[in-house]
Amino acid sequence: MKILITGATGLIGSELVKLLLSKNHSVHYLTTSNAKIKEEPNYKGFYWNPQEGKIDERCIEGVDVIIHLAGANIAQRWTNKYKQEIIESRTLSSELLFNLIKKSPNQVKQIVSASGTAIYPESISQVYDETTTESEDSFLSNVVKKWEESVDTFQVLGIKVCKLRTGIVLSNKGGALPEMVKPINLGFGGAMGTGKQIQSWIHITDLVAMYYFAIEKQLEGIFNAVSPHPVSNQELTKVIAKTLKKPLWLPNIPEFVMNLILGEMSYLLFSSKNLSSIKITNSGFQFQFPKIDKAINDLYA
Ligand SMILES: NC(=O)c1ccc[n+]([C@@H]2O[C@H](COP(=O)([O-])OP(=O)(O)OC[C@H]3O[C@@H](n4cnc5c(N)ncnc54)[C@H](OP(=O)(O)O)[C@@H]3O)[C@@H](O)[C@H]2O)c1
């Protein structure tokens, strides 16, 4: 199969590319950086700039499936200008791909897109699944709604649309986990706020396997890409400290302190999303790392 990936150079994309190449698939990818363009036998980069509406149209030649991961990183201060970039990097990129497919001969059958869990209501005890129609009114929730709407448009072209609402991705190469590990390693670690907020997480190996599963099974619809066992922030902090063999002696870090440091973005630390993974497991997907202790142990022991 030939797969076109956007955001292939990022944390998730780079692991996914490794998996696809190991299974002898051919990868085209779109990048906003000329310096990241490579041309290897099964791995070929193409330039695009969604903000300027530019795309190298050869990227779509022979492509069966699109995996859409591109998006400005949400872990940077949310100024008004950057908020706009967070939204547009996701929606304008979908639009640019849509317009290309609409006008060019192609054989694209499916698009699998990253999506987020921010769309779900805040909850500690209530578990939400993909059927919920309730949603939260926050900046990030609105980003997810616009992002998913932009991907849904591909259905009018007869293309199957699959959206993976992804929880906190656990990797030792980037994302949230190394930021949590750093202070604990230095002896300054502590849970955030009450520590009771639920974190729906997924090991990067499982997430990448889920993308592969989605294209192999030609899945359609929304799937929560979260492990079957979400944990509280307190529990996650404890498991990290235990794995690193570090004491946790400081009190929890108050929410107002993180608000002062991070501004609105502190939402990422205190929001509570308790999500079900039953839909994907009922589809036949098996997690390699369903429990947090094994996941952290794999990454940091
Ligand atoms: N990591 C997580 O915990 C997590 C959780 C839920 C959802 N997600 C979502 O999954 C997707 C991939 O996540 P990731 O962790 O791999 O992200 P990442 O490491 O930040 O990589 C995202 C990629 O998107 C491209 N990009 C950045 N800014 C862009 C812009 N303004 N316009 C177009 N492309 C841009 C970049 O590729 P080039 O430099 O090659 O253009 C970058 O490598 C993201 O959309 C993210 O929101 C991630």
Side-chain angles (χ1 to χ4, degrees):
M1 235 192 292
K2 190 179 276 183
I3 296 139
L4 172 64
I5 309 185
T6 75
T9 60
L11 180 69
I12 299 166
S14 49
E15 290 302 311
L16 183 57
V17 167
K18 275 190 225 159
L19 178 70
L20 292 171
L21 295 181
S22 76
K23 306 264 187 194
N24 292 321
H25 292 293
S26 169
V27 172
H28 279 186
Y29 65 98
L30 283 161
T31 176
T32 56
S33 161
N34 272 316
K36 294 184 193 168
I37 293 179
K38 285 187 187 168
E39 184 160 355
E40 290 164 12
N42 275 331
Y43 181 64
K44 201 168 170 186
F46 299 86
Y47 178 77
W48 74 338
N49 186 324
Q51 266 84 5
E52 292 175 7
K54 289 182 184 160
I55 187 165
D56 183 337
E57 298 188 355
R58 295 169 303 164
C59 68
I60 206 70
E61 285 169 10
V63 167
D64 305 289
V65 173
I66 297 174
I67 296 183
H68 186 27
L69 303 171
N73 200 302
I74 59 164
Q76 282 184 42
R77 193 168 265 275
W78 295 355
T79 59
N80 285 340
K81 187 165 177 270
Y82 196 64
K83 278 180 167 177
Q84 192 68 15
E85 189 174 339
I86 288 176
I87 297 170
E88 288 185 354
S89 56
R90 289 167 172 83
T91 56
L92 295 182
S93 54
S94 303
E95 275 172 38
L96 195 53
L97 281 171
F98 176 90
N99 290 331
L100 175 62
I101 291 178
K102 202 171 141 197
K103 71 171 193 191
S104 318
N106 69 85
Q107 59 185 57
V108 177
K109 289 172 214 58
Q110 185 196 24
I111 179 166
V112 184
S113 179
S115 179
T117 57
I119 198 163
Y120 289 108
E122 291 288 302
S123 157
I124 291 185
S125 56
Q126 160 106 34
V127 179
Y128 285 98
D129 68 18
E130 296 84 345
T131 60
T132 185
T133 49
E134 287 173 68
S135 73
E136 187 185 78
D137 185 21
S138 65
F139 164 66
L140 221 47
S141 171
N142 291 327
V143 170
V144 174
K145 283 178 208 156
K146 288 183 180 153
W147 190 5
E148 291 198 351
E149 279 164 19
S150 73
V151 179
D152 285 340
T153 57
F154 285 78
Q155 284 165 353
V156 303
L157 302 174
I159 292 172
K160 289 180 183 163
V161 173
C162 176
K163 292 163 283 187
L164 299 185
R165 287 183 176 165
T166 309
I168 300 168
V169 179
L170 300 186
S171 159
N172 53 17
K173 297 190 184 133
L177 187 60
E179 300 304 319
M180 298 181 82
V181 163
K182 250 184 254 167
I184 296 175
N185 241 337
L186 294 169
F188 298 118
M192 295 290 154
T194 63
K196 288 183 183 155
Q197 64 275 33
I198 301 295
Q199 317 224 273
S200 285
W201 59 274
I202 184 165
H203 189 295
I204 186 139
T205 302
D206 280 328
L207 178 60
V208 165
M210 204 180 285
Y211 273 97
Y212 193 69
F213 182 82
I215 60 176
E216 259 199 319
K217 304 276 178 200
Q218 289 282 296
L219 294 185
E220 265 183 287
I222 299 167
F223 293 85
N224 289 339
V226 298
S227 87
H229 300 284
V231 288
S232 68
N233 174 264
Q234 185 94 40
E235 194 178 342
L236 176 57
T237 311
K238 276 188 189 158
V239 172
I240 296 172
K242 194 173 164 211
T243 308
L244 297 174
K245 300 186 175 63
K246 297 282 178 186
L248 267 185
W249 52 272
L250 284 180
N252 290 5
I253 298 153
E255 188 164 350
F256 79 89
V257 173
M258 296 315 290
N259 269 333
L260 284 176
I261 299 172
L262 299 175
E264 197 181 345
M265 195 182 94
S266 64
Y267 167 91
L268 298 175
L269 304 174
F270 297 98
S271 104
S272 186
K273 305 289 168 177
N274 195 349
L275 305 177
S276 160
S277 62
I278 286 177
K279 187 175 177 193
I280 194 77
T281 49
N282 281 351
S283 306
F285 181 77
Q286 290 183 338
F287 284 88
Q288 196 179 333
F289 299 101
K291 295 244 172 113
I292 193 67
D293 44 353
K294 283 210 176 139
I296 299 291
N297 205 61
D298 175 67
L299 295 166
Y300 278 99

